Amino acid sequence: YFEGDWKERGTVEKTGFIIFAGSPDGVRDELHNPYVYNLFRLDTQGGHVTERITGHVLSGIEFPSLNTTIDQITYNLSSNFDPWLTPDGNILFSSVQANGTRAEGKGRVMLCVDNWDGAYPRPIYGNCDGEIGGSSGRSQSKVTFGDRKLVFVESPYMNWGVGQLAAVSWDAPFNKTYERLSKDEGGLYRSPYPLPDDRMLVSYAQRGDFGIYWFDCKNGKAGEVVHNDPEWNDHQPAPVYIKYKPRWINTFTAGKNFGVTTVTYQPFDQVKVEGYPHSWGTWICFDTTLTDVPVGPYPSQRARATKPGDVKAVRIVEGVPCVEPEAGRFKVGAGKHLLGGDRSSSNSGTAFQQRRIIGYQYVEDDGSVVTSQTADTPYYIQNLDERGMAVQTALMWAYLRPYHGRICSGCHDGSYRGRAFQNQHTKALYNWWYDDR
């Protein structure tokens, strides 16, 4: 293992992955912040950790001098941050969602989980209208052991790292299970750390000096002090104890023949024969008309109600990160010398999100659709009617990993009414396998 100077201090028999958040230079997110964090997987054994699981070093940038392989596993135009390992082997993290006019233009921070390879991101809490907390920040989430609560820091502003402690049920993360854990509004919390004995460490400050405390769950406040250095702010307690062994969710099934996921609808032999590039993936929506989103005037709502047969096609729109090495070009008015004035520079302070169309795909008359497209690319889809007008837009940035597949039961509907849950036939899936159109 290493410390900050990278001098070797000792050895261990085996290590797993390291999941971390990183941001490139010269970028702006959708809210004009000078960073765009995403999650990366670092293989400290030069790809051998991945090879033990999948039979092949599937992807990543190799650094032979460090015996390390790094692979980006999430793709967001704003930031994904604060990764944490859940008991079932998922990666839990916070994700800023700022596509469209979410929360009156303020954006939202949702809690999300994903597989260790980025194959299956699932929103957990905080991305929907009407959820308690609105546009507040949600960060540093953890899952408790006994009662399986999803504990997180709820902040009044998106980019704050401190606030009050809140929780929802890990098994039913809805408004009905939401609770504010901290009752004393005068202090600020961060860095919750649940322990197997159902105690929880927190970093807490009544005014300015943060210290480490045991959290008094019964009374909803910081309890016995563990450590508080008056000269320093004390954060991120990490007790040393035997961690639970997670159930790794292995999304690869093809062994040494690279990695095809269990949910892909792109047969590997077909990929080889037809010459699809390895950087493509596949997604299917069983019913584009199955939704619980109301009809309304806002971008997150439907333009009108639809039934199977009303949606004729989907438009797939790519999000392009706003990258500009010269920070001065991000200033508002940077493009005033161009035709059209201040709004002309695509990388200026008036455009923090750029888009382009990847393509269109035909929707079957039962509402189902399946297609392949470029992987490792942030995108969203729009449902189009017979005139080519968008009747519903999925504002969450999605992405596919190479060779992977994604299943969608409907548009923003997790109901068990859908075909995906009832294993019903869909025309899009049938034609994908047996038709050559």
Side-chain angles (χ1 to χ4, degrees), residues 353-384:
Q353 177 198 97
Q354 301 168 81
R355 317 178 194 186
R356 59 190 175 198
I357 295 174
I358 293 178
Y360 296 82
Q361 184 60 268
Y362 167 80
V363 174
E364 301 286 351
D365 58 16
D366 66 348
S368 62
V369 59
V370 63
T371 191
S372 287
Q373 65 187 62
T374 53
D376 291 349
T377 300
Y379 73 93
Y380 64 90
I381 64 172
Q382 294 180 301
N383 292 341
L384 308 180

Side-chain angles (χ1 to χ4, degrees), residues 19 76 229 269 281 317 353 420:
I19 305 293
N76 189 4
D229 188 332
D269 290 339
V317 183
Q353 177 198 97

Side-chain angles (χ1 to χ4, degrees), residues 38 71-77 80 376-378 397-399 401:
N38 272 289
D71 184 27
Q72 183 173 341
I73 64 173
T74 69
Y75 291 82
N76 189 4
L77 292 191
N80 296 334
D376 291 349
T377 300
W397 291 112
Y399 55 90
R401 297 310 317 277

